[in-house]
Amino acid sequence: MARRYWNINLEEMLEARVHFGRGTKKWNPTMAPYISAKRKGIHITNLTRTSLFLSEACDLVFDAASKGKKFLIIGTKNKATDSVARAAIRARCHY
């Protein structure tokens, strides 16, 4: 797998509120390395680490797509239904 440079901007991630995790009462202790702080009962996700993993995931998806693999896009939240459908239709994927 070739490493590529993906333009993942931390400021845009902040604006998209990617850093807000789950509530501090409902969390899995294995997530501790990925949490940078706790504020008002919510864990704050480490965006630097998230951007690295997101870049790796982009590499994997890019490689699979270039080999003609098919994808299934899943959204588990009711609010995400329209976004998932639009993204899947644009990418010609199943949803």
Side-chain angles (χ1 to χ4, degrees), residues 37-53:
K38 184 180 0 174
R39 208 174 279 157
K40 295 183 182 176
I42 296 176
H43 284 126
I44 307 298
T45 308
N46 184 338
L47 287 183
T48 308
R49 226 164 160 185
T50 302
S51 66
L52 284 171
F53 290 129

Side-chain angles (χ1 to χ4, degrees), residues 2 11 13 16-17 19 30-31 33 46 62 65 67 71 78 82 85:
E11 287 81 25
M13 289 175 78
R17 297 179 169 256
H19 61 290
T30 58
M31 289 299 297
N46 184 338
F62 186 87
K67 293 176 185 173
F71 294 94
N78 287 336
D82 295 334

Side-chain angles (χ1 to χ4, degrees), residues 47-91:
L47 287 183
T48 308
R49 226 164 160 185
T50 302
S51 66
L52 284 171
F53 290 129
L54 183 58
S55 180
E56 276 185 42
C58 289
D59 284 340
L60 289 170
V61 170
F62 186 87
D63 288 339
S66 67
K67 293 176 185 173
K69 303 265 178 152
K70 303 256 184 203
F71 294 94
L72 173 64
I73 300 176
I74 299 172
T76 59
K77 304 284 184 188
N78 287 336
K79 290 181 180 179
T81 317
D82 295 334
S83 301
V84 167
R86 268 187 269 122
I89 291 168
R90 269 184 49 207

Side-chain angles (χ1 to χ4, degrees), residues 6-36:
W6 301 97
N7 190 17
I8 299 171
N9 190 340
L10 294 180
E11 287 81 25
E12 289 177 359
M13 289 175 78
L14 272 172
E15 288 175 15
R17 297 179 169 256
V18 172
H19 61 290
F20 286 120
R22 298 212 38 166
T24 55
K25 292 181 182 176
K26 297 179 180 180
W27 77 294
N28 188 334
T30 58
M31 289 299 297
Y34 310 104
I35 296 171
S36 63

